[in-house]
Amino acid sequence: MTEPTTTATEDELREEGLHRAYTAIAQIYLSMHRVDVARGTYETIKATDAIRRFEADRSGNFAVNSESIVRGLAEEESYQNAMEFLDLSTIADRMAGSDHISTQFTGKVAGNCKLHFIKEDTDAAGKPLHVIFAVEVADADKLSQVFDVLARNFQNVFWIDLVGGMAKVLKLDGYITKGLDRNDHQYFPYPTVLNNYIDDRVHPDEREALCDAIGIEGLREAFLEQGKSELVGNYRILVDGEVHNFQYNYFKMDDEGFVVCGFQNIDAIIEETLAKERELIEARDEADRANNAKTEFLLRMSHDIRTPLNGIVGMLDIADRFPDDPARQADCREKIRESSKVLLELINEVLDMNKLESGEIVLEHVPFDLTDVARDVYYALAKQAEERDISIVQVDCAVPHARLVGSPTHLKSVIMNIMSNAVKYNKDHGKISITCTETEAADGMVELVFICSDTGIGMSREFQEHIFDPFAQEQASPRTRYPGTGLGMSITKSIVDKMGGTIEFSSAQGEGTTFTVRVPLEIDKSACAASAVDEASEQASIDKMTLLLVEDNDLNLEIAQFLLEEEGAKVEVARDGQEAVDVFTANEPGHFDAILMDIMMPVMDGYDAARAIRALAREDAASVPIIAMTANAFAEDKLRAREAGMDEHVAKPLDIDLLVQTIDRLAGRK
């Protein structure tokens, strides 16, 4: 690069330059924003305090942000025209054949204002991909504000006379290249100092390109010949062997050859951009993994749901072909029952996981007997274990406080999930060892410690890291002999965390797995009052009881009425909540031994019906047992039932033995 030959003395250039520079610099942009035309988004490059107070944010939706700026600046009569100028949908046509378009409007405070769109890059068809949106104020009284803006946004700031080739320091904060000193008002030959800076600091790979871009000839071509209003670019410098990123910004001040330029270190900006890109990539990858897992889950679920459904439909077809064969009929019914249980388990797991992920799971706080929980789990798994000759051994189950207060539904779910896996993934003729103990009681609380060890197939080290991930299965093939949703352990971990407990495990592939669960529970201080429950349940009967069955579904009504009448009860029916209240009111006090109430019904639901019955002014309104008998089977549904005045909750599909025990217990208490 060669220095131009000047035709005037340095003093003359200084005087002329100052006059034109002060006039030109008054028109510096108040704010600049880089706009993605296709996406309609923006990032603020710089903004003065005057503009920043009107900005919606530093980045985001361009239409929202630009409207906020214009509404803050423009007089009412200028607002609509300014907004039409900001319409990105027409910008391609308006900028056809031009790198720059602008419009002027009357400002509320700053007088005449201009809005600019400056083309940054284009697609193959010449349509703008990115543009610079800039706000400009034309009043000379903004001069001091302009200097403040430049000083805040750039480390080094200069104005340049492109005609004479001289430049003036407006701010110098950082590296001082040869030919400059700390004098903020010094003049210098721009080409010479720029060459010194490029040779001394700029990365060797970028020296030639930077010289072409911002050398005096390159600037003259860009601003004086091509009519550009702005020139922005990035480059790298070397400081003690370390690479740093810088950005230059050149702005045209007038048509007489004056520009203002600023240089700033953008390491932090680039690092922030890269960090955001990494975050986006990680978020995308995480979303992809989640979507892939859910896709695989749906494929498995399609198989796992259709399998029991196929069993149910197939057994019905077989039963129809052998109407006079009682043994074949009984076999079909048993297989239908088993397939129905499998299907119900799948549905419950999916619903439980959805509740846990949405944070809607609600723990109970009710008295329960730990012995009942253990017995229910054992009975549920005993047949499956017996079929494969797997022995379930209680090594140590000495629990001083069996009567506790907590969430028995969720505790049972935790133990059931762990033990069912111990059966499923065990070897034929294997063994399951159970230990259930408690730590020393303190402040009315105990820590229950449940340990389950099996002699099964164990887990690989790789899978152990993902055992609690939703949909995770080490044996995930649709043809695996270990079918399931992959949700059981994720549900178990979430429940244990919700209960304030911990779950740990150890496993060796080919040898087996041991799970240890610790959960805090409250001691039931009223345990003595319930000492006869087990004995009573063994003799449960509803023979000769009169029951009010409230159910709107014909099939459910038929099933429940048949099962109850088979147990010896007299059943009267109502098909919605309001009819239930009317039937109860129409009969004498004490006529009904219990009310079995569905929840989701027309006219009046079960909750409102229960409240209405409890509110009646008759002697049995407060004492008649009301049992929620519903497909709403979560713990929070049980709590809602109790809050509505119901005594108990029995989930559908109906377990007639459990229902009989519940009615007998509550009706006897009445």
Side-chain angles (χ1 to χ4, degrees), residues 413-651:
S413 176
V414 168
I415 298 174
M416 178 71 79
N417 279 336
I418 292 174
M419 287 190 62
S420 64
N421 279 348
V423 174
K424 179 191 294 185
Y425 298 107
N426 215 320
K427 303 167 185 174
D428 292 346
H429 317 296
K431 180 181 178 181
I432 299 173
S433 300
I434 304 299
T435 300
C436 187
T437 59
E438 68 178 50
T439 61
E440 184 177 351
D443 299 325
M445 300 289 294
V446 296
E447 182 181 65
L448 185 68
V449 182
F450 172 77
I451 302 174
C452 176
S453 300
D454 65 64
T455 58
I457 63 174
M459 294 178 280
S460 66
R461 289 185 178 273
E462 293 77 15
F463 180 71
Q464 290 180 35
E465 298 178 2
H466 303 283
I467 184 174
F468 297 123
D469 293 349
F471 315 115
Q473 286 183 293
E474 186 161 27
Q475 305 286 339
S477 168
R479 296 186 179 274
T480 180
R481 59 176 291 195
Y482 306 110
T485 62
L487 294 174
M489 293 314 301
S490 179
I491 292 171
T492 298
K493 177 70 164 59
S494 298
I495 291 175
V496 171
D497 289 346
K498 186 84 170 178
M499 296 175 74
T502 61
I503 179 169
E504 301 170 343
F505 69 91
S506 61
S507 183
Q509 201 160 22
E511 298 179 15
T513 302
T514 297
F515 276 93
T516 301
V517 176
R518 293 180 172 86
V519 290
L521 292 166
E522 183 181 335
I523 298 172
D524 184 7
K525 297 177 181 179
S526 62
C528 296
S531 59
V533 170
D534 290 338
E535 181 180 351
S537 64
E538 294 176 2
Q539 307 297 326
S541 172
I542 59 173
D543 188 40
K544 295 184 173 56
M545 287 189 183
T546 301
L547 308 175
L548 176 56
L549 174 61
V550 189
E551 173 64 69
D552 67 314
N553 183 277
D554 291 339
L555 183 58
N556 289 341
L557 179 63
E558 179 182 353
I559 293 170
Q561 184 172 2
F562 173 80
L563 294 175
L564 292 168
E565 288 177 347
E566 281 294 297
E567 294 292 330
K570 178 183 177 184
V571 179
E572 298 183 24
V573 301
R575 294 181 177 274
D576 61 62
Q578 183 60 57
E579 186 178 346
V581 176
D582 295 340
V583 171
F584 181 79
T585 304
N587 285 278
E588 294 294 325
H591 176 75
F592 292 108
D593 293 285
I595 301 173
L596 308 180
M597 185 77 73
D598 186 25
I599 298 298
M600 303 293 288
M601 295 182 293
V603 184
M604 179 185 288
D605 65 29
Y607 298 129
D608 288 339
R611 294 188 187 96
I613 290 173
R614 294 301 188 209
L616 293 173
R618 48 187 282 166
E619 60 189 63
D620 62 344
S623 60
V624 61
I626 305 178
I627 301 168
M629 195 173 68
T630 173
N632 297 350
F634 292 106
E636 52 266 42
D637 299 314
K638 298 180 181 180
L639 292 176
R640 287 190 65 189
R642 291 193 181 96
E643 290 170 356
M646 301 188 195
D647 299 275
E648 193 54 88
H649 179 286
V650 176

Side-chain angles (χ1 to χ4, degrees), residues 3 19 23 60 84-85 87 113 116 121 163 175 251 298 325 345 424 463 491 551 570 634 649:
E3 296 183 31
H19 175 73
T23 302
E84 290 175 2
F85 176 78
D87 185 3
C113 298
H116 299 265
D121 56 10
V163 176
Y175 169 74
F251 307 103
L298 290 173
D325 187 338
E345 179 183 350
K424 179 191 294 185
F463 180 71
I491 292 171
E551 173 64 69
K570 178 183 177 184
F634 292 106
H649 179 286

Side-chain angles (χ1 to χ4, degrees), residues 97-113:
S98 174
D99 290 332
H100 169 241
I101 58 174
S102 64
T103 189
Q104 183 168 303
F105 64 91
T106 303
K108 294 178 180 178
V109 177
N112 292 329
C113 298

Side-chain angles (χ1 to χ4, degrees), residues 158-426:
F158 313 93
W159 69 255
I160 305 166
D161 181 357
L162 299 181
V163 176
M166 295 298 291
K168 180 181 185 293
V169 174
L170 300 180
K171 176 187 176 184
L172 199 56
D173 182 11
Y175 169 74
I176 305 298
T177 192
K178 183 180 178 181
L180 294 180
D181 56 38
R182 288 291 180 186
N183 182 0
D184 284 351
H185 299 288
Q186 67 176 304
Y187 285 82
F188 60 91
Y190 175 79
T192 301
V193 173
L194 179 65
N195 279 336
N196 292 339
Y197 173 72
I198 290 176
D199 292 340
D200 189 31
R201 283 286 184 172
V202 176
H203 194 286
D205 294 345
E206 300 187 8
R207 288 173 183 171
E208 183 177 354
L210 186 64
C211 186
D212 291 341
I214 63 173
I216 193 68
E217 296 301 332
L219 295 180
R220 286 169 176 168
E221 180 180 354
F223 290 108
L224 299 181
E225 297 176 20
Q226 298 179 4
K228 288 186 177 180
S229 299
E230 182 177 9
L231 193 64
V232 180
N234 299 340
Y235 63 98
R236 294 174 295 162
I237 69 170
L238 286 173
V239 180
D240 298 328
E242 293 186 0
V243 177
H244 296 275
N245 297 280
F246 265 69
Q247 182 179 85
Y248 60 80
N249 295 258
Y250 286 73
F251 307 103
K252 181 179 180 180
M253 295 293 96
D254 61 10
D255 294 327
E256 299 181 27
F258 277 94
V259 296
V260 172
C261 65
F263 295 80
Q264 60 177 332
N265 185 308
I266 57 172
D267 284 341
I269 296 173
I270 289 179
E271 179 56 36
E272 182 180 355
T273 301
L274 292 175
K276 288 181 179 179
E277 290 179 356
R278 287 193 294 268
E279 290 176 3
L280 289 172
I281 291 172
E282 290 174 3
R284 182 198 64 197
D285 291 344
E286 182 64 27
D288 288 343
R289 285 192 293 269
N291 287 333
N292 290 337
K294 289 183 179 180
T295 299
E296 292 174 7
F297 163 73
L298 290 173
L299 292 173
R300 292 197 303 269
M301 284 299 294
S302 176
H303 170 270
D304 293 343
I305 289 176
R306 289 176 183 275
T307 297
L309 278 176
N310 181 66
I312 293 170
V313 174
M315 287 299 104
L316 287 172
D317 289 340
I318 292 174
D320 287 343
R321 294 173 183 270
F322 297 92
D324 300 322
D325 187 338
R328 197 62 178 268
Q329 289 278 332
D331 179 65
C332 288
R333 287 194 299 272
E334 180 61 26
K335 290 176 179 176
I336 289 172
R337 186 174 290 107
E338 291 301 317
S339 295
S340 299
K341 290 179 180 178
V342 172
L343 184 59
L344 181 60
E345 179 183 350
L346 290 170
I347 293 172
N348 285 338
E349 283 195 349
V350 173
L351 294 177
D352 283 342
M353 195 65 216
N354 181 63
K355 284 282 187 180
L356 288 165
E357 285 187 338
S358 64
E360 297 177 3
I361 198 75
V362 177
L363 297 178
E364 300 171 286
H365 187 73
V366 297
F368 70 94
D369 192 326
L370 184 60
T371 306
D372 294 339
V373 173
R375 184 182 61 239
D376 291 346
V377 173
Y378 177 80
Y379 285 163
L381 297 173
K383 183 178 180 182
Q384 184 181 352
E386 182 181 348
E387 289 174 351
R388 297 178 55 200
D389 194 25
I390 297 172
S391 59
I392 301 177
V393 180
Q394 294 184 4
V395 177
D396 181 11
C397 289
V399 180
H401 301 93
R403 302 281 186 172
L404 303 166
V405 177
S407 188
T409 302
H410 294 100
L411 181 62
K412 185 187 297 184
S413 176
V414 168
I415 298 174
M416 178 71 79
N417 279 336
I418 292 174
M419 287 190 62
S420 64
N421 279 348
V423 174
K424 179 191 294 185
Y425 298 107
N426 215 320

